[in-house]
Amino acid sequence: MTYVFAFDHKHRKPPMSYKDLLGGKGANLAEMTSVLGLPVPPGFTISTDACRDYMYGGWPAGLDDEIAKQRAKLEKAMGKRIGDPADPLLVSVRSGAKFSMPGMMDTVLNLGLNDESVEGLAKNTDERFAYDSYRRFIAMYARIVQGVDGEPFEHLLETAKEWDGVTADSEVTAETLRRLCLRYKEVVARSTGQPFPQDPTAQLRGAVEAVFKSWGGARAVAYRNREKISHDLGTAVNVQAMVFGNRDENSGTGVGFTRNPSTGEDKPYGDFLVNAQGEDVVAGIRNTEPLDTMGKKFPKIHKELLAIFDRLEKHYSDMCDTEFTIEQGKLWMLQTRVGKRTGVAALRMAVEMTEQKGWKISKDEAIQRVTADHLDSVLHPQFSAGAAFHVLTTGLAASPGAAVGKVYFTADDAVDAVERGEAVILVRNETSPEDVHGMAVAEGILTAKGGLVSHAAVVARGWGKPAVCGAEQVKITGKQFHVGGTIVKEGEVISLDGSTGQVVVGAVDLTVGTTPPEFDLILGWADAIRKGGKGVRGLKVRANADNGPDATRAREFGAEGIGLCRTEHMFLGEDRLPIVRAMILADTPAEEAAALEQLRVAQKADYIEILEAMDGLPVTVRLLDPPLHEFLPNVEDLAIKQATQGLDADETELLAAARSWHEVNPMLGTRGVRLGVVKPGLYEMQVRALMEAAAERKKAKGNPIVEIMIPLTISRDELGLARGWVESAIAEAKVKGVDVTIGTMIEVPRAALLADEVAEHADFFSFGTNDLTQMALGFSRDDIEGRIMAPYVEQGLLKANPFDTLDQAGVGQLVSMAAERGRATKPDLKLGVCGEHGGDPESIYFFYGAGLDYVSCSPFRVPIARLAAAQAVLGAGKASDTR
Amino acid sequence: MTYVFAFDHKHRKPPMSYKDLLGGKGANLAEMTSVLGLPVPPGFTISTDACRDYMYGGWPAGLDDEIAKQRAKLEKAMGKRIGDPADPLLVSVRSGAKFSMPGMMDTVLNLGLNDESVEGLAKNTDERFAYDSYRRFIAMYARIVQGVDGEPFEHLLETAKEWDGVTADSEVTAETLRRLCLRYKEVVARSTGQPFPQDPTAQLRGAVEAVFKSWGGARAVAYRNREKISHDLGTAVNVQAMVFGNRDENSGTGVGFTRNPSTGEDKPYGDFLVNAQGEDVVAGIRNTEPLDTMGKKFPKIHKELLAIFDRLEKHYSDMCDTEFTIEQGKLWMLQTRVGKRTGVAALRMAVEMTEQKGWKISKDEAIQRVTADHLDSVLHPQFSAGAAFHVLTTGLAASPGAAVGKVYFTADDAVDAVERGEAVILVRNETSPEDVHGMAVAEGILTAKGGLVSHAAVVARGWGKPAVCGAEQVKITGKQFHVGGTIVKEGEVISLDGSTGQVVVGAVDLTVGTTPPEFDLILGWADAIRKGGKGVRGLKVRANADNGPDATRAREFGAEGIGLCRTEHMFLGEDRLPIVRAMILADTPAEEAAALEQLRVAQKADYIEILEAMDGLPVTVRLLDPPLHEFLPNVEDLAIKQATQGLDADETELLAAARSWHEVNPMLGTRGVRLGVVKPGLYEMQVRALMEAAAERKKAKGNPIVEIMIPLTISRDELGLARGWVESAIAEAKVKGVDVTIGTMIEVPRAALLADEVAEHADFFSFGTNDLTQMALGFSRDDIEGRIMAPYVEQGLLKANPFDTLDQAGVGQLVSMAAERGRATKPDLKLGVCGEHGGDPESIYFFYGAGLDYVSCSPFRVPIARLAAAQAVLGAGKASDTR
């Protein structure tokens, strides 16, 4: 096995194909060197293989020899030797993993200096430059390679400046710097018990090993967990000849983009500094100049750079991000990669590179250059990139988008304030159906309790309204709240970002969510792709919507039907709740029937609205699912009232019912189709209302397409029984010419395991991946997300929050198994997913791979799902294994 | 396909091999006829194929022809024709399924009588006999075949007796019986609109169809659900020439066993009546005579019968149950089958037939003749078979055995009563650790709330004490309870049966549980078999025990180690709870460490006791599993106290902690290894205590074998992390020479799905099938068993309560998958089960088939598990599919 490759190594394929082996930086350096022939300081890359072998078995045998060989080649190319007392070659040693991990791993610059070679450098450059480089190298090497505390070096530098009577590092004299090197070496010797290493070979090995080790450092591990990057990849190490932008006024350094990464405009964009090093540009100590100015100072080099930009963009077929240095009038390219961009820019570039003259990326390619985050950022307001703010507390990112407003603590106060013309953030411990009028007018919602499936979170997502939930540090008392010592009173302004969970005191600048013209164009391309055809399966996108307005909005966002209409949300309306309670409390079949009759009338009206909004598209109505105690008051509240004030007859009855329907684990209790077994009239009523609504729509020349869905099924016979109820209710309704199918949720592990049997009674399966995740992992979402999820994801026990991105290794097995077994029984079984994973791109790729026909998500995720579905169909968005 | 087989049909194999086809009764009749050549009234069997075809497609084509052919043969053999006006042949039409379903299906006797043939019968017998037979036939046929209400027939018979001025049916005159037949036929004509069928062919077809239909009758379906018999089997129908034990004083009828079914004694046993029909023996109207007496009255026939008994026993190699009739001096065998027996008898017969001279059933065979119910009945007291009682209410059968005692409502009252010398039944809404002293002295426990995993149920099973739990109709108010209108006050006597859940007012006679001498002998044979060997895998039996006394008892019952030691039970002791609470409430690491230190000392003492009791055998200790709120007081109680009386500082803190640790779905919350992640010091403390205990045992020359088990694992990395804690705690304890292995529960579906990965860090898997069932089916045991389980099992949506018998179709898939995948990673991975299914025979057969090394169950189930394990190894107890 070869571990080390020179930048100009002749690989069999273009170097960019070897990112696994060379890392992103190494592959790009090799590409620029050997394919594009650009001016890149020579060097070599130690592969990720070496890093992995090091991690599992220590320093690889043979690596020293390979490094020595490549070093000799490098020295020959540069005509200088590392550590040469006369004219030393200096090298940088930098990490470079397959995926960019900015700032997470270590770098050593100026390697090769020692007590002798520094003299050679001084002779060939100047003394101040040489000793400044040496003292920087000693400190950097000591900190990074030897683990020496950095503070004494800082302290000594401060003392040196005092001694010289100057304030800037750059003003310290050469003589003082020479002394500083001596003092620095003393610090090292004291701390390590060894003199500072003078042998360049030992220096190099030490630096390489330090980079290997930094892969396993705490920061790097945390970053990879957050970004879902595998810990097994390892990093490559790039050893490269140093060039110096800080040699003189004929030198400089800069970063440049081949087009504008903020707006997408097709115009090079960048920052430049004369007589400076790269870190000076990034650190923002000196004011940088735009690239245009560079054209005046270095017209030839500027022209050369723009020509390189042009070649890079054409070669990579995308916008590139570069770092470059001018050393005494010569341009060197230090790095390039395909650059990051904003959502607006991503959309504009993707379209322009497809349609612009001289470009020919395909629509397929364009689709793959836009991500969910890009779309999210144009759909929702966000905290402006440049905005400075102090985060007061962070809750759960419950509904994306940012909002600014004055805090109010009750729905009524919020409504009054909005009527006075104020922008409002509604702050509650948790919300209930009684708060809905306040939520409707608020800019954003903040709750102290509740998880991502709490009432506040679900309602907010449905409305596309920003919400931060479960911000546990927020303590509300009366008309104010505090977080630690900070008190926020009614009427004071806060900002919140429902994409990150951040809460900020005061107003933060927001970027407004505006969909640029390219938005619809790109999604139109996506739709065409995800239709499939010619032997390629398609993937449809539906929305989860529970009422007419939501259904209308979903259709505007491009939904091709409703994948989940939760009838329980209709039951929670202020006017409905008393009827639902009457049904639960009914003592006689007659009372129950009367309550069901009232519900039927109400439900029918709801269904008519939804079927109208989705006319001609399928609407999947899930029969009642939640445990009945959700419709009853809180036991504890009533029990306390009983103990203190006493209860009236109605309340006494309600308390008894609430106790009787109370469950230890309601998630695993009397809900779903089990309710149908306990209260058979219920499902019949719902189906009757639905069929009557469909009949009305037919009368109005509409085209209702109805799918009836049984929740929480666990066995063939159970589904057969429920299907029987549904079929008799359909038959009794005697509605003609309406297309009705009957299917089931697959949301309990047993149903997935026995999908072959369950399919006998199902026209379709819809995967309820929320509940399937809860049961397959034993994770009650309400309980786990607060206390357990963070440590589990941070410690890498789970690769991602399985409620955000499908746990493919576990839950995914059940989905694939059920899809396969269901289709074995019924080859044309329709398959969809209506859990929240239906709006997550990575999960969508998986679902497509598992053979699903559609995904369904909240209306505001529909554009993202359309894009991801197209990416899935293109096969580019291959589902990565999240184990 | 042939549907009908004469009793003397020449089958290719012995008729007993065709029970599937002929049903049990039909196969036995054919066996007696064609193999043994016994005097059986001839006839034929209509196969279960015909019944199945009838169920799915109506009356089978060709069946009429086959019946006609066989009927002709029968008539030829008997020299009489059915319906012959001169001398009619009468036949019986009886159901006969593969498995005996006593009284569940229909029978028609005396078929072939009509207005003409009754005269022929009268001529050949006597008039009274003929018309009595006819009126019985009309009523029976009308009720069973034609669905006519039976009441008018009863009423007419009463009127007839009044008319004749007699009281007994047998005293009604021939003349009156003749008139009664006319009136009966009028009833039929009025009810059906048709005259009573006179055509014997139509009569026969009607009767056969009625038997087919009775397979699907409500009683039969309910019975099969209870007995886990498949609804797809169908029943056979036996048509047989009638013989009459009630012809004269030279006739008679009886039932006989080839040995005593109550005691097992090797002596024929039975009841006999002169001049009577079979139903008279069963009905108990007349006093039957023992078989010995028969020897005096019918010495020749008695001798013939005993010879037949002998042949039957030898032929069937088992005790047989027979029905016989003597018609005018000739003996007829009407039925035989291997007979049911008591537990005591089963053990005695199995041993004697193995060891007795002239017998040679193998020990393997003997093992298979004893069932779990047989062992249960000798281990626990039960309601006596003959006892008459009225069931007040039925709760959950929470812990087997029966008890009688006076009811007391508090633990203290129970203790006082026992000190006065009373036998006590403790009645509570539910029990908690504070009731344990009362539970310890009670004969039995009755709770109104709580399921099969409630505190009361778990404790009672651990102690082998009868308990009925969750008897929801029991309403306790102060020192009395009522069920409907029945009030039971303190000190009144009740009886309960924890094997059936029955509660009875007053004292019911109990059979005492005493293990006969054959008990240990048979279990010894079982142990030898289940050791395996010669290429046959064995199956070990361990017990679930949480303290020294339980471990000792388990060992006495034959446990080969502890499969589950639940450390949380140690935490619930009155002296421990305050320490556990201190740990939960700790504000600082120091406070937490102090509490953990106190717990360590207490746990160490517990562990020493257990390791001593199980010296030389493996002890699996599960690290803390339950959610922490289980150790905190009830939120509602404290909240009410807060609202009414106010709380002191400690209580306020407890309330806050209880609220903070409260979970919506604790089953899926912060428990198991997740506790270790939240409170890492906890598991370390437990392992340290355990290792110190092992060290003490070593010092005392003991041989502790320790297995440490991590609960609720869901991923490889999580188990790796936990294993790391355990290993460092072991290393720190520095105990030498102790055999320690580290494994995990497989109780979350994801762990089963990813068992290949999880196995990397596990030395053993122990299947927690209770929780696996809860999560795979979405069944919270606490919530489901009351409201949902009954309708689900009754309606056949589930074949059995999946908490009693493993749901092989669903949960079983996960078990098999995990076993296979785990062993793919680690071929020598040890596999066991510690859910309650470990004590259920049918589940044990499955576990053996899935490759498990041991099962673990409560100490009192150990003998049953030993037997079932041997049966599993013998491969006889093949796991039936419970889908």
Side-chain angles (χ1 to χ4, degrees), chain A residues 471-534:
Chain A
E472 295 189 344
Q473 291 183 296
V474 170
K475 306 291 175 190
I476 302 173
T477 41
K479 298 210 165 177
Q480 64 178 44
F481 75 83
H482 71 274
V483 172
T486 306
I487 295 175
V488 177
K489 295 187 178 151
E490 184 184 67
E492 292 185 0
V493 172
I494 65 170
S495 304
L496 55 82
D497 186 337
S499 310
T500 61
Q502 292 172 326
V503 180
V504 175
V505 176
V508 177
D509 275 353
L510 303 187
T511 56
V512 183
T514 47
T515 55
E518 293 87 357
F519 181 83
D520 286 327
L521 192 64
I522 286 268
L523 285 176
W525 296 350
D527 290 344
I529 290 164
R530 70 184 177 75
K531 274 205 168 49
K534 291 187 201 157

Side-chain angles (χ1 to χ4, degrees), chain A residues 209-393:
Chain A
E209 188 166 8
V211 174
F212 284 167
K213 279 184 181 159
S214 70
W215 175 259
R219 278 182 312 158
V221 169
Y223 182 88
R224 289 196 298 273
N225 283 339
R226 201 166 58 240
E227 299 291 319
K228 299 176 197 165
I229 297 172
S230 164
H231 297 300
D232 298 330
L233 297 177
T235 183
V237 184
N238 299 291
V239 177
Q240 186 173 26
M242 295 278 300
V243 289
F244 297 95
N246 55 346
R247 279 294 289 276
D248 52 28
E249 290 299 313
N250 201 21
S251 303
T253 193
V255 298
F257 293 85
T258 58
R259 40 184 96 187
N260 189 311
S262 299
T263 63
E265 192 188 3
D266 182 13
K267 193 168 168 238
Y269 175 93
D271 293 316
F272 173 73
L273 269 178
V274 175
N275 196 1
Q277 283 192 307
E279 60 206 57
D280 301 328
V281 179
V282 179
I285 305 167
R286 288 163 57 187
N287 285 329
T288 56
E289 302 170 45
L291 278 190
D292 291 348
T293 321
M294 182 188 166
K296 287 171 199 152
K297 290 192 178 159
F298 299 98
K300 202 174 135 238
I301 290 178
H302 183 244
K303 208 176 145 196
E304 187 185 349
L305 184 64
L306 293 190
I308 288 173
F309 278 10
D310 202 48
R311 288 194 62 196
L312 284 173
E313 219 183 46
K314 286 281 156 45
H315 181 71
Y316 283 96
S317 281
D318 205 345
M319 178 199 78
C320 291
D321 172 359
T322 68
E323 289 177 24
F324 60 88
T325 282
I326 305 166
E327 189 185 53
Q328 298 184 307
K330 167 149 178 62
L331 176 67
W332 294 99
M333 299 306 295
L334 297 189
Q335 191 175 159
T336 194
R337 62 184 169 204
V338 170
K340 297 215 163 124
R341 61 206 70 184
T342 64
V344 171
L347 286 165
R348 179 167 170 177
M349 287 180 200
V351 169
E352 289 187 353
M353 289 182 185
T354 309
E355 300 191 332
Q356 211 174 26
K357 217 183 131 189
W359 279 89
K360 50 172 204 293
I361 76 166
S362 65
K363 288 176 182 172
D364 292 4
E365 178 61 31
I367 293 295
Q368 294 178 48
R369 294 202 177 168
V370 181
T371 66
D373 286 344
H374 289 146
L375 292 192
D376 240 348
S377 77
V378 304
L379 282 166
H380 300 286
Q382 296 195 305
F383 285 176
S384 296
F389 53 83
H390 174 71
V391 175
L392 176 66
T393 186

Side-chain angles (χ1 to χ4, degrees), chain A residues 635-636 639-640 643-644 655 659-670 673-675 677-678 712 714-719 721 725 748-751 753-754 756-757 774-784 787-788 791-792 795-799 807 809-811 813-814 817 821 882-883, chain B residues 635-636 639-640 643-644 655 659-670 673-675 677-678 712 714-719 721 725 748-751 753-754 756-757 774-784 787-788 791-792 795-799 807 809-811 813-814 817 821 882-883:
Chain A
V635 169
E636 189 185 324
I640 289 176
T644 51
L655 176 57
R659 282 202 197 284
S660 153
W661 287 100
H662 169 80
E663 292 186 307
V664 180
N665 296 290
M667 164 62 46
L668 311 176
T670 307
V673 64
R674 299 166 195 177
L675 287 174
V677 175
V678 176
L712 213 75
I714 59 167
S715 86
R716 168 180 46 195
D717 292 345
E718 183 191 47
L719 184 61
L721 178 72
W725 303 327
V748 182
R750 189 182 200 268
L753 291 162
L754 296 178
D756 48 347
E757 298 185 2
Q774 298 198 78
M775 295 185 208
L777 273 69
F779 270 7
S780 166
R781 195 164 177 182
D782 287 317
D783 302 310
I784 285 292
R787 212 189 297 264
I788 294 292
Y792 264 63
Q795 296 181 38
L797 306 183
L798 287 170
K799 285 293 176 285
D807 162 40
V811 181
Q813 272 193 58
L814 291 173
M817 187 186 290
R821 295 181 181 183
T882 58
R883 285 195 193 193
Chain B
V635 169
E636 190 185 324
I640 288 175
T644 50
L655 176 57
R659 281 202 198 284
S660 153
W661 287 100
H662 168 81
E663 293 186 305
V664 180
N665 296 289
M667 165 62 46
L668 311 177
T670 307
V673 64
R674 298 165 196 177
L675 287 174
V677 175
V678 175
L712 213 75
I714 60 167
S715 85
R716 166 180 47 196
D717 293 344
E718 182 190 48
L719 183 60
L721 178 72
W725 303 326
V748 182
R750 190 182 198 268
L753 291 163
L754 296 179
D756 48 346
E757 297 186 2
Q774 298 199 77
M775 294 185 208
L777 274 68
F779 271 5
S780 166
R781 197 165 176 181
D782 287 316
D783 302 309
I784 286 292
R787 213 190 294 267
I788 295 293
Y792 265 63
Q795 296 181 40
L797 306 183
L798 288 170
K799 285 293 177 282
D807 163 41
V811 181
Q813 271 193 59
L814 291 173
M817 187 186 289
R821 295 181 181 183
T882 58
R883 287 194 190 194

Side-chain angles (χ1 to χ4, degrees), chain B residues 88 90 110-115 117-118 121 130 133-134 137 196-197 203:
Chain B
L90 303 193
N110 299 329
L111 189 138
L113 284 175
N114 58 22
D115 294 350
S117 65
V118 68
L121 183 64
S133 299
Y134 194 27
F137 171 58
F196 183 77
Q203 287 177 355

Side-chain angles (χ1 to χ4, degrees), chain B residues 546-549 551-552 555 562 565 567 570 576 599-617 619 621 686-706 735:
Chain B
D546 310 331
N547 53 52
T552 303
R555 192 163 194 164
I562 290 181
C565 173
T567 47
M570 304 177 189
R576 311 282 166 81
L599 280 173
R600 184 186 59 76
V601 174
Q603 288 236 299
K604 178 178 165 185
D606 294 329
Y607 290 139
I608 290 175
E609 268 193 56
I610 292 170
L611 290 174
E612 185 170 0
M614 280 288 167
D615 193 64
L617 292 174
V619 173
V621 174
Q686 292 198 292
V687 174
R688 222 182 113 200
L690 181 56
M691 293 312 297
E692 287 170 359
E696 292 280 330
R697 291 292 310 140
K698 285 298 280 187
K699 234 186 271 172
K701 306 286 176 209
N703 178 20
I705 302 176
V706 176
V735 179

Side-chain angles (χ1 to χ4, degrees), chain A residues 503-687:
Chain A
V503 180
V504 175
V505 176
V508 177
D509 275 353
L510 303 187
T511 56
V512 183
T514 47
T515 55
E518 293 87 357
F519 181 83
D520 286 327
L521 192 64
I522 286 268
L523 285 176
W525 296 350
D527 290 344
I529 290 164
R530 70 184 177 75
K531 274 205 168 49
K534 291 187 201 157
V536 177
R537 278 186 302 117
L539 185 59
K540 287 192 184 287
V541 175
R542 299 191 191 180
N544 301 346
D546 309 332
N547 54 51
D550 282 359
T552 303
R553 185 178 303 119
R555 194 163 193 165
E556 284 163 10
F557 275 123
E560 299 166 288
I562 290 181
L564 176 62
C565 172
R566 282 161 293 217
T567 47
E568 58 267 29
H569 287 183
M570 304 174 188
F571 279 36
L572 283 168
E574 260 180 286
D575 49 334
R576 311 281 166 80
L577 205 49
I579 317 176
V580 175
R581 289 181 177 173
M583 175 198 74
I584 299 172
L585 295 177
D587 286 324
T588 65
E591 281 175 30
E592 186 174 299
L596 285 173
E597 176 59 20
Q598 279 186 280
L599 279 174
R600 184 186 61 76
V601 174
Q603 287 236 297
K604 178 177 164 184
D606 294 328
Y607 290 139
I608 290 176
E609 268 192 55
I610 293 169
L611 290 174
E612 185 170 359
M614 281 287 167
D615 194 65
L617 293 174
V619 173
T620 307
V621 174
R622 179 176 71 184
L623 301 182
L624 195 70
D625 181 57
L628 293 184
H629 73 82
E630 287 195 8
F631 303 105
L632 295 168
N634 181 281
V635 169
E636 189 185 324
D637 293 348
L638 274 182
I640 289 176
K641 190 170 178 199
Q642 184 180 42
T644 51
Q645 304 161 251
L647 299 179
D648 65 24
D650 282 358
E651 288 168 331
T652 305
E653 203 185 358
L654 274 175
L655 176 57
R659 282 202 197 284
S660 153
W661 287 100
H662 169 80
E663 292 186 307
V664 180
N665 296 290
M667 164 62 46
L668 311 176
T670 307
R671 46 176 288 245
V673 64
R674 299 166 195 177
L675 287 174
V677 175
V678 176
K679 289 199 172 276
L682 187 65
Y683 278 11
E684 198 191 318
M685 174 280 286
Q686 292 198 292
V687 174

